[in-house]
């Protein structure tokens, strides 16, 4: 079945980037001239997704506003021919996809957030695109989520997007036990969340992109609550798919930026600015001049 729906969990508190995220959702922190979440939505649209549900919570209504029409602003821009390019960019935000929103009334983790999308998804496979992770495709590269969707359509199994990370960083993420199926596609046998160094099975970690079958909702419902955290962990639910040989991994191509991390935000802004058609050359000259002074 062709995948046309995606959910973006965006209900986190953004504690790693406080105080910037105190009043502005971290998903709305900009990368040059667009908020992070717009890059995620554009990636989904480029992969053929038409319907997107954003899981939010209190204080994140600005996300809805961003993807809605801004009539006063648009009317003002329409009256100024010199602002035609800006008007086009503003209008694009409300025309990207069919956008839907639901609030996660309690911050109870990723699995709970995903379960909030059950009525939206219905009986269809769907994409999950973490709100912290912006993945920028290079020239002639397919969008990252599209690479996972292709693998799902070929194998009919759940898919996680992975990259190899430095071994010292694996304990921040997770470690996967995998065997190759074909170029850049692997079968997943086990996942350990935030492993200790002696638990590392490989340096492949899940990084912000997942495609799941609709049965994942029933799996989440019967997955035990972790006694330490008091949550149902999404990794535990995916492990049931792995145990049934129904979970694959795609070593996706694309540059990932962790927008829940201060250094990730700076890397995203610098690298995107260097490639930006409007300011790229001037910014490159500035960086060179700055480097010469250090």
């Amino acid at each position: 079945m062709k995948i046309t729906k995606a959910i973006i969990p965006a209900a986190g508190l953004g504690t790693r980037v406080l105080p910037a995220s105190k009043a502005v959702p971290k998903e709305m922190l900009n990368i040059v001239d667009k908020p992070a979440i717009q890059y995620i939505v554009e990636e989904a649209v480029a992969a053929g997704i038409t319907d997107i549900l954003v899981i939010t919570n209190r204080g994140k209504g600005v996300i809805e506003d961003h993807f809605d029409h801004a009539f006063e602003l648009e009317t003002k821009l329409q009256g100024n021919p010199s602002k035609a390019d800006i008007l086009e960019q503003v209008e694009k935000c409300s025309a990207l996809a069919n956008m839907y929103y639901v609030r996660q009334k309690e911050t109870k983790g990723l699995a709970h957030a995903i379960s909030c999308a059950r009525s939206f998804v219905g009986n269809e496979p769907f994409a999950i695109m973490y709100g912290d992770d912006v993945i920028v495709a290079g020239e002639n590269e397919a969008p990252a989520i599209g690479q996972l969707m292709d693998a799902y359509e070929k194998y009919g199994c759940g898919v996680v997007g992975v990259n190899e990370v430095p071994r010292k960083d694996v304990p921040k993420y997770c470690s996967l036990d995998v065997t190759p199926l074909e170029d850049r596609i692997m079968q997943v046998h086990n996942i350990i969340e935030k492993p200790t160094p002696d638990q590392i099975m490989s340096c492949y970690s899940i990084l912000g992109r997942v495609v799941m079958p609709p049965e994942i909702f029933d799996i989440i419902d019967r997955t035990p609550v972790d006694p330490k955290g008091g949550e149902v962990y999404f990794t535990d639910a995916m492990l049931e798919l792995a145990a049934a040989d129904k979970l694959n991994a795609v070593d996706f191509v694309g540059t990932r930026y962790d927008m829940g991390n201060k250094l990730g935000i700076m890397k995203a802004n610098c690298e995107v600015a260097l490639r930006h058609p409007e300011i790229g050359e001037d910014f490159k000259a500035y960086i060179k001049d700055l480097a010469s002074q250090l």
Side-chain angles (χ1 to χ4, degrees):
M1 183 182 293
K2 185 171 177 59
I3 297 166
T4 61
K5 294 180 178 179
I7 68 172
I8 302 176
L13 299 176
T15 53
R16 291 185 295 160
V17 293
L18 285 169
S21 57
K22 180 175 181 287
V24 178
K26 66 179 183 297
E27 296 84 7
M28 289 299 294
L29 296 177
N30 70 294
I31 302 176
V32 184
D33 53 1
K34 293 186 292 188
I37 196 169
Q38 184 171 336
Y39 287 85
I40 298 172
V41 170
E42 288 175 348
E43 177 193 336
V45 172
I49 287 170
T50 57
D51 298 271
I52 299 172
L53 175 69
V54 185
I55 312 294
T56 66
N57 63 15
R58 290 178 297 278
K60 296 203 174 190
V62 66
I63 296 176
E64 298 183 41
D65 293 341
H66 180 73
F67 292 105
D68 195 3
H69 281 290
F71 293 103
E72 295 85 354
L73 174 61
E74 291 171 19
T75 300
K76 189 173 182 65
L77 292 172
Q78 286 166 358
N80 189 340
S82 67
K83 304 291 186 181
D85 289 345
I86 298 175
L87 174 62
E88 182 180 356
Q89 293 173 40
V90 169
E91 290 179 330
K92 178 184 177 182
C93 298
S94 57
L96 285 167
N98 301 316
M99 301 294 296
Y100 306 87
Y101 306 89
V102 65
R103 285 192 177 187
Q104 183 185 16
K105 295 178 176 64
E106 299 176 82
T107 306
K108 295 172 62 177
L110 179 58
H112 180 262
I114 291 168
S115 69
C116 294
R118 187 169 197 153
S119 60
F120 168 78
V121 170
N123 195 36
E124 300 177 33
F126 63 105
I128 304 169
M129 307 174 73
Y130 298 6
D132 280 349
D133 293 287
V134 169
I135 302 174
V136 178
E139 190 173 353
N140 301 319
E141 288 178 356
I145 196 62
Q147 297 169 47
L148 274 65
M149 290 161 58
D150 289 344
Y152 184 94
E153 290 170 12
K154 181 172 183 178
Y155 289 95
C157 297
V159 188
V160 293
V162 303
N163 281 160
E164 285 191 281
V165 302
R167 189 175 182 86
K168 65 179 178 61
D169 291 337
V170 173
K172 300 176 186 177
Y173 302 104
C174 65
S175 180
L176 277 66
D177 177 22
V178 295
T179 54
L181 292 174
E182 59 176 280
D183 184 39
R184 308 192 80 88
I185 301 179
M186 299 157 279
Q187 184 175 350
V188 180
H189 306 289
N190 194 11
I191 310 168
I192 297 178
E193 190 75 24
K194 292 182 170 55
T196 59
D198 62 305
Q199 292 178 316
I200 293 174
M201 300 173 290
S202 76
C203 290
Y204 285 109
S205 293
I206 300 171
L207 298 176
R209 298 293 181 269
V210 177
V211 172
M212 284 287 115
E215 66 190 86
I216 194 65
F217 294 112
D218 288 337
I219 295 174
I220 290 172
D221 286 347
R222 62 175 177 261
T223 300
V225 174
D226 181 81
K228 294 181 181 178
E231 299 178 7
V232 174
Y233 290 113
F234 188 44
T235 299
D236 293 341
M238 289 192 291
L239 277 171
E240 183 169 326
L241 290 179
D245 297 331
K246 293 183 178 180
L247 187 65
N248 292 336
V250 170
D251 182 12
F252 64 81
V253 178
T255 303
R256 169 188 172 265
Y257 301 106
D258 182 357
M259 293 300 292
N261 176 287
K262 295 171 186 176
L263 181 59
I265 292 169
M266 294 308 300
K267 286 181 177 179
N269 274 280
C270 286
E271 293 178 22
V272 171
L274 287 169
R275 298 189 297 269
H276 195 282
E278 182 180 342
I279 66 169
E281 290 304 314
D282 287 343
F283 188 68
K284 189 180 299 182
Y286 164 73
I287 291 294
K288 287 180 179 179
D289 182 60
L290 182 64
S292 70
Q293 300 175 40
L294 298 178

